Amino acid sequence: MPGLRMPSLHVPALRRPSLRGVAAGLRARLVVAFLLVAALSALTTAALTFREARTAILKRTQDTAIEALRSQVNSQVPDYAFPLSAQALQDLQHRLNAAGSAQRWTVYVRYRGSGLVPRGDHGRIIPRGVQEKVRSGIPAFQRLDSDGDPWLAIGLPVTYRGSSEASGLEVYAQMPLREDEANVQALVKAAQSGALPAVALAAVPALIAARGVLRPVRELRRASRKLAAGELDTRLKVTGRDELADLSRTFNDMAEALEENVAELRRMEANSRRFAADVSHELRTPLAAMTAVVDVLDDDADSLDPDTAYAVRLISEETGKLARMVEDLMEISRFDAGAAALHVDEVDVCETVRKTLQARGWQDKVAADLPEGLRARLDPRRIDVVVANLVGNALKHGGEPVDVAVRVTGEGSGRRLLIEIADRGRGIDPEVLPHVFERFFKADSARARSEGSGLGLAITLENVRLHEGTVRAANRPGGGAVFTVDLPLRQCGGEAA
């Protein structure tokens, strides 16, 4: 009865993280994300502040200019009699210009559709749209760029005092906004200067936040490595009530369930191994007695009547099968218990294989390709079992003659010893190939009983593993199955198995 197989756990070695690994790590991504959020927040705040401040600065400037111009017009226009003469119009323009020295505006006037005073092409300074609105009796202003400089154009229609009747007088003014633009640029620089330190300072809380998030993750990684190494009592300390705490609790629950399941599996495995070993051991003594008795009966079978002789020979055959089954179970139990050990010696590999064939009388059934002088450190008893099982399996289920070849591949310390056993049969069903080394596996489900115990190939696999080698099964292109034993070639003075 085979024992339960526990899966082997591989624990990768801890490696120092590379620069690329650090850059792609969770800490770096958290810090970068935090900084990006801080930078985006700072830039958004700065942009909104700039827009509102710029609008407020320009609105204050234009409101101040419009009120100042309206005040000057209201104070000086009453000094003139309407209709205005050309001289009065020029005089009014000069007086309004002089009154606007603080605002640095330039005033233009028009009376009843005549040209602007002073004359000239002022379409670039006083936009047509502003002039059309003023002609319609609507005060207007507009910010614009002229030759790359910001300007403010203002237009005011003048009405008679105490009524809304238009007097025909239109007053326009243009003024530069360089100082306001300079104030706006200074505001932009201040926003930029404030955003950079804010982003830099955000790195500190980003590192603190990343550390707080990554600490449970690092603990989870260490606990997972311990769990993979077999420390099933590993648990995490749970603090808080957030998602990471839930993850730690889930890990602890999983570790506890795994520990219980593994303990149960180990208990069942130990019981199974003990049962197989005990049963096999207890069967050996009665089987030895039965074998001795059936040997005596078998010798006298010729003197018995045919029916009795047939029964004696059947009992002798089945007793032999049972004895082989018990021996194989004992061998498997030693492998499962870890009690199987190698007893290596410096041997002639080909001579060892040749003796295996001679001991079983297979010389005429096997075509051997055995080069002379190939020596290696092996356990000759176990190699004998490996070759005997594979050749016997080929003779039983394949076709004669069976080819046995020994060769060496590789160079230096990477040299490998290959033992190939090939038959001339139909080969192995591709669906069966992955299972041929499993215990009690039979390729033909209809073949419920056979001379073998169903453990031969499994014992072969365990013996090869003891030599730190591998054994493979495949089909040859020309037909038939081929089994390849691949062992490290250790010679005299080399590493012992």
Side-chain angles (χ1 to χ4, degrees):
M1 179 181 297
L4 296 176
R5 284 282 181 180
M6 290 296 297
S8 60
L9 299 176
H10 171 67
V11 183
L14 291 176
R15 294 178 294 178
R16 188 178 300 276
S18 61
L19 292 178
R20 179 178 296 181
V22 172
L26 185 57
R27 178 192 295 273
R29 284 182 285 174
L30 286 173
V31 172
V32 170
F34 199 99
L35 292 180
L36 287 177
V37 172
L40 183 61
S41 301
L43 291 177
T44 303
T45 302
L48 294 175
T49 303
F50 162 73
R51 187 183 67 178
E52 295 298 326
R54 182 175 183 271
T55 302
I57 291 173
L58 295 178
K59 186 175 185 303
R60 182 191 61 187
T61 300
Q62 70 189 23
D63 291 346
T64 302
I66 292 172
E67 289 300 323
L69 181 61
R70 179 179 287 112
S71 177
Q72 291 297 327
V73 170
N74 289 338
S75 64
Q76 297 191 32
V77 167
D79 295 340
Y80 296 91
F82 284 78
L84 295 173
S85 62
Q87 182 62 37
L89 197 61
Q90 290 180 356
D91 183 67
L92 176 61
Q93 188 266 337
H94 286 306
R95 291 175 63 182
L96 290 175
N97 259 340
S101 58
Q103 285 78 18
R104 295 179 301 166
W105 65 39
T106 301
V107 176
Y108 303 89
V109 294
R110 176 190 288 133
Y111 185 63
R112 291 186 177 179
S114 61
L116 289 174
V117 178
R119 297 185 181 277
D121 183 12
H122 307 292
R124 291 180 299 172
I125 299 300
I126 309 300
R128 300 295 182 186
V130 173
Q131 296 183 37
E132 290 175 359
K133 287 184 178 181
V134 172
R135 288 194 194 102
S136 302
I138 303 172
F141 66 90
Q142 182 177 340
R143 292 192 296 269
L144 67 155
D145 289 334
S146 179
D147 299 329
D149 295 327
W151 290 81
L152 176 65
I154 305 172
L156 297 176
V158 179
T159 59
Y160 290 112
R161 184 185 298 272
S163 70
S164 59
E165 181 183 356
S167 65
L169 177 63
E170 302 169 8
V171 179
Y172 300 94
Q174 63 174 7
M175 59 180 298
L177 297 176
R178 296 188 188 95
E179 292 183 359
D180 299 286
E181 192 65 25
N183 293 334
V184 171
Q185 293 300 326
L187 186 61
V188 172
K189 291 181 180 180
Q192 293 175 346
S193 300
L196 293 178
V199 174
L201 291 175
V204 177
L207 291 173
I208 296 175
R211 180 181 180 184
V213 171
L214 293 180
R215 185 186 298 110
V217 176
R218 287 194 297 268
E219 293 177 355
L220 180 61
R221 181 182 62 184
R222 286 194 292 268
S224 300
R225 290 185 183 276
K226 290 183 179 180
L227 202 64
E231 300 180 26
L232 301 181
D233 58 344
T234 302
R235 299 292 185 272
L236 290 174
K237 181 180 179 181
V238 180
T239 56
R241 298 180 177 274
D242 55 8
E243 289 80 0
L244 292 175
D246 292 339
L247 178 61
S248 298
R249 279 188 285 269
T250 302
F251 176 87
N252 290 341
D253 294 340
M254 178 197 69
E256 183 177 358
L258 180 62
E259 184 178 16
E260 293 177 356
N261 291 336
V262 169
E264 180 65 17
L265 288 175
R266 286 175 176 171
R267 185 187 63 79
M268 294 172 62
E269 179 185 20
N271 291 340
S272 176
R273 289 174 179 174
R274 189 182 306 110
F275 176 78
D278 291 345
V279 168
S280 301
H281 181 75
E282 293 298 329
L283 285 176
R284 294 184 73 177
T285 300
L287 274 175
M290 291 173 60
T291 302
V293 171
V294 297
D295 286 343
V296 173
L297 293 177
D298 199 25
D299 292 338
D300 297 334
D302 294 336
S303 61
L304 301 175
D305 62 87
D307 291 340
T308 304
Y310 174 78
V312 168
R313 292 189 180 98
L314 180 61
I315 292 174
S316 176
E317 181 181 351
E318 293 300 323
T319 302
K321 291 181 181 179
L322 185 58
R324 288 191 294 273
M325 172 75 76
V326 170
E327 291 299 326
D328 287 345
L329 282 174
M330 291 291 294
E331 186 70 9
I332 284 292
S333 297
R334 283 191 286 269
F335 283 118
D336 289 342
L342 285 179
H343 300 283
V344 297
D345 195 5
E346 181 83 14
V347 298
D348 187 315
V349 178
C350 297
E351 183 63 23
T352 301
V353 174
R354 190 177 294 111
K355 287 181 179 180
T356 298
L357 301 178
Q358 292 174 353
R360 291 160 179 81
W362 290 339
Q363 300 96 317
D364 298 335
K365 301 178 181 180
V366 174
D369 180 10
L370 306 175
E372 299 295 334
L374 179 57
R375 302 188 65 81
R377 290 182 59 81
L378 301 170
D379 186 333
R381 185 186 72 83
R382 296 190 182 280
I383 293 299
D384 174 78
V385 172
V386 168
V387 175
N389 283 345
L390 293 179
V391 173
N393 185 76
L395 290 172
K396 187 182 304 180
H397 304 296
E400 299 181 14
V402 172
D403 298 326
V404 177
V406 177
R407 56 191 176 90
V408 176
T409 62
E411 297 180 357
S413 60
R415 299 176 71 194
R416 309 288 296 183
L417 174 65
L418 299 183
I419 304 175
E420 294 182 348
I421 294 91
D423 61 52
R424 306 297 175 86
R426 295 178 301 174
I428 305 174
D429 189 335
E431 296 182 357
V432 174
L433 275 175
H435 308 287
V436 293
F437 295 103
E438 294 179 4
R439 302 175 184 184
F440 299 107
F441 180 81
K442 296 183 183 295
D444 185 3
S445 59
R447 185 168 53 88
R449 301 182 70 248
S450 65
E451 296 181 3
S453 64
L455 297 173
L457 291 181
I459 292 175
T460 298
L461 176 63
E462 297 294 344
N463 279 309
V464 172
R465 283 177 176 172
L466 277 181
H467 285 85
E468 299 180 5
T470 59
V471 57
R472 303 183 296 273
N475 289 317
R476 296 198 300 180
V482 57
F483 288 81
T484 303
V485 177
D486 186 344
L487 304 174
L489 182 60
R490 298 187 178 94
Q491 295 178 324
C492 185
E495 180 187 357

